[in-house]
Amino acid sequence: MTNLPPTGSLIPVDAPFSAAQESWLAGFLAGIAAAGKRSASPAPTTTVDVLFGTQTGNAELLAEDLVAGARARGLGGRATPLDAVSPEPLAGMSHVLVVTSTYGEGEMPDNAGLFWEALQATTVPRLEGLRYAVLGLGDTSYDEFCQAGKLLDLRLEQLGATRVHDRVDCDVDYEDPAALWSAAVLDRLAAEAGATGAPVGSGATTGTTVTGGAGVSRASRPGAQWNKRNPYPARLVENRLLSSPGSAKEIRHLEFDLGDSGITYAAGDALAVVPHNDPALVDRLLEHLGADGSALFDGRPLTDVLRVDREIRTPSKDLVADLVQRAPASELAAVVAHGDKQELDRWLWGRDVLDLLRDAGDAAPSLDELLPNLRGLQARQYSISSSPLAHPDRVHLTIASVRYGDARRAHGGVASTYLADRVRADGEVGVYLQPNAAFGVPADDSAPMVMIGPGTGVAPFRGFLHERAASGATGRNWLFFGDQHRATDFVYEDELTAFRESGVLDRLDLAFSRDQAEKVYVQTRMREQAAELYRWLEDGASVYVCGDASRMAKDVEQALLDVVASQRGRGDDDAQAYLADLRRGGRYVRDVY
């Protein structure tokens, strides 16, 4: 029998939780315990509206947890995407918690852009009756760290809302600070409301969460015990090359056995892969530093620390700043001195930590000085390219192996080459699920669907097509796919052709950019089929885009705007409003990176 600590806490002393997790769970369990002493619970007098902006699903998962935590404390709770809320309903809310990630270089995530535009309008109502707090998710490797959260926090204050707790900006390892912030905010709101706890999912709650059911937290989902700190050791059971000899790319199809993990995924979700650094790069780095890899750091050999724990492929901002200070005459320092961020990004592209140490020469730090400036090695997320209806016990990925360099020095992507080269047949790889509730096939099986995914962007759409084939969905399906050359880069050609011949795939428009003198892209095909594409939109089609965010996704959006403008004939502003309505209705969604 497990003993509770002397304080009477509901959490065992030997439970494998961090301090932040214990803080959140203590409030959660205390609410349930208090509620269990009563035969009936009064209706909550305070409802907490949790509004989230998310690109990959993390903010939505935190929103679900906040709703579950609010309900456990006797508060009402509901979670809603930011774009589903207009300023007028916002003004009628009493307590709002905003959880938002930041996309790209300081931009709002896809499901928060319309909310942000509306909040900046001169006609937006004042919010003096609103009490709020903001949690930001971001990545300190970007200059505009958590910018979306900062902007929303400031704007709500400008509109007269009262901040009930300071904003917290979380880096990629967000779990602990997010849990501490959540517990502190919810405890404060519960105390103010005089709430004493109510059963999770009881009739005492108001509103509903958008996913997961009433008051369901991530801890209750099947397979939810697997995460970045505790990844599931999945067997890699298939690793085959999709691209043909002569291709400039190396595209691979990989399959993982989910075994007894309990992981249940949906078409459109992502799988996070926990990679290991290339041992050859680790050895070169140690050799350059004159360090002994068998020496211990925090009780572990340095070789293992650099291979498994630290990011040595992409230099951190802290390392760049440190090297500029140590080596003011270096090439890096000269680039930084220009103050041109784009020039710095171009110079850093493709360079790893070893490259920067070599550039710093004799001024480079020792290993002990270097380690604090190396970020933790992060999992890499990949769009799942299978459907659980067709492949319930396996999850498929479609990955481009990143390789570049010259005869003097070869470079490779951390996770892509780890999977392609260094995981043996039936070898185990740490993985965990990254749900993406916003990016999935339409709930209505009869609704049409337009998918735009060149290159490895086709991955989730292969899963979508398997899903619709297995479910017997009657909705029409249209795929725009392309790459460089048809002869070498038409991945999944046999499957896509079979889907086309069986009627699952109603239209397949291909764009192989280098098979003719004039380059042809998926956006070229979209404009060519403008009239038909617009008819599909008018018939209720949802549009999905997957792939490169920096160029392709922007070009595709412009093509979509051009299609709408040309067919409606009402100008660019009307086309923008039309696309905004699609986005607001969940009919224009993107999975871009």
Side-chain angles (χ1 to χ4, degrees), residues 259-338:
D260 60 355
S261 67
I263 293 174
T264 57
Y265 70 96
D269 286 345
L271 189 74
V273 173
V274 180
H276 294 171
N277 285 311
D278 185 352
L281 176 57
V282 171
D283 289 344
R284 284 196 292 268
L285 184 59
L286 289 169
E287 180 182 4
H288 180 82
L289 292 165
D292 179 4
S294 63
L296 299 182
F297 178 82
D298 285 344
R300 297 173 58 206
L302 277 170
T303 298
D304 288 348
V305 171
L306 291 176
R307 183 176 60 89
V308 177
D309 291 350
R310 300 301 173 97
E311 180 67 69
I312 60 175
R313 170 63 194 81
T314 304
S316 68
K317 289 173 62 178
D318 288 342
L319 177 59
V320 169
D322 182 61
L323 291 175
V324 167
Q325 184 176 16
R326 290 174 180 275
S330 66
E331 186 178 347
L332 171 62
V335 173
V336 170
H338 290 165

Side-chain angles (χ1 to χ4, degrees), residues 346-392:
R346 283 193 295 269
W347 191 88
L348 287 173
W349 191 92
R351 287 182 164 91
D352 56 27
V353 170
L354 178 57
D355 292 323
L356 266 61
L357 294 180
R358 288 175 172 173
D359 176 66
D362 294 338
S366 65
L367 181 61
D368 288 342
E369 295 168 325
L370 173 67
L371 283 171
N373 287 321
L374 298 181
R375 303 181 70 198
L377 182 59
Q378 298 298 315
R380 270 54 172 180
Q381 295 181 18
Y382 296 101
S383 301
I384 292 174
S385 57
S386 54
S387 160
L389 298 183
H391 312 96

Side-chain angles (χ1 to χ4, degrees), residues 8 10 29-42 196-199:
L10 295 171
L29 294 173
I32 294 177
K37 298 176 182 178
R38 300 188 305 274
S39 59
S41 300
T196 56

Side-chain angles (χ1 to χ4, degrees), residues 73-90:
R73 289 164 172 81
L75 302 168
R78 56 194 170 203
T80 312
L82 278 163
D83 273 358
V85 179
S86 59
E88 289 72 24
L90 179 67

Side-chain angles (χ1 to χ4, degrees), residues 186 280 388 517 523 555:
L186 291 174
Q523 57 266 28
D555 291 342

Side-chain angles (χ1 to χ4, degrees), residues 425-439:
D426 281 332
E428 292 184 344
V429 178
V431 303
Y432 58 92
L433 188 67
Q434 182 66 57
N436 189 351
F439 198 83

